[in-house]
Amino acid sequence: MNRRPLIVAAAAVGVLATAAFALPNLPPGLVTDKIDSKVYKEAGERFASAADAPTREQAPFALPSWIPKDATDVRVRISTSGEAKMIRFTLGATPLDAPQCDTGTPKPMDAPALHAKWWPDSLREGVRAECRGTHQYQVAVRGKQVYAWTDGTPSPSSAGPRDDAASAPRTQG
């Protein structure tokens, strides 16, 4: 009986299983970036501070305006095929100005569908549905670490046209 095909098949399965466990844990680089982009449809960036991140809202790694500029160790993970985004940062001297929805009720969101080694397994306690700007974010604060994510749900305050003239204070003249 020829066992060579069986040995080759077992070796191939072993190599594939090892790759499946090892590739997500490799440091960022050309190979892991390609796998993230093509297989997982995700991409990630890291910035020393929020001030180093892109500022235009159209940029995929741009941060929401409510993140303090002195926040450090900012990590962003995005979906390359949608609007989902995960953000983790460390608060600096500026406290987190809790971004509340100014109109409407935020939609409850599930845990983020993206994957990152720096994201905790569970964020059930202390999660707040908050929003500001274009997208609604869920936010959890753990000491100085802040975790925020969106599935791309528009913020209730940006869901439709706003008539700022109607809400502006009237002055008597």
Side-chain angles (χ1 to χ4, degrees), residues 132-152:
R132 179 179 288 171
T134 307
H135 296 106
Q136 173 185 322
Y137 280 85
Q138 299 277 86
V139 178
V141 180
R142 300 280 190 277
K144 289 275 198 182
Q145 292 293 315
V146 179
Y147 300 89
W149 68 97
T150 182
D151 61 4

Side-chain angles (χ1 to χ4, degrees), residues 50-99:
D52 297 330
T55 56
R56 292 190 343 214
E57 197 161 319
Q58 297 86 2
F61 295 102
L63 302 176
S65 61
W66 52 266
I67 295 178
K69 293 295 181 214
D70 65 345
T72 59
D73 191 23
V74 179
R75 296 177 184 212
V76 181
R77 187 89 175 156
I78 64 166
S79 168
T80 58
S81 62
E83 296 289 325
K85 184 183 281 190
M86 294 186 330
I87 304 168
R88 186 195 87 181
F89 60 92
T90 304
L91 285 171
T94 306
L96 182 65
D97 177 22

Side-chain angles (χ1 to χ4, degrees), residues 16 39 61 82 105 119 151 167:
L16 290 174
V39 176
F61 295 102
T105 303
W119 194 263
D151 61 4
S167 63

Side-chain angles (χ1 to χ4, degrees), residues 90-136:
T90 304
L91 285 171
T94 306
L96 182 65
D97 177 22
Q100 299 296 321
C101 294
D102 50 1
T103 61
T105 303
K107 167 185 139 333
M109 285 189 281
D110 292 328
L114 301 169
H115 307 91
K117 289 189 317 184
W118 45 262
W119 194 263
D121 290 334
S122 176
L123 284 173
R124 292 184 185 168
E125 296 175 25
V127 174
R128 313 181 293 232
E130 302 183 13
C131 57
R132 179 179 288 171
T134 307
H135 296 106
Q136 173 185 322

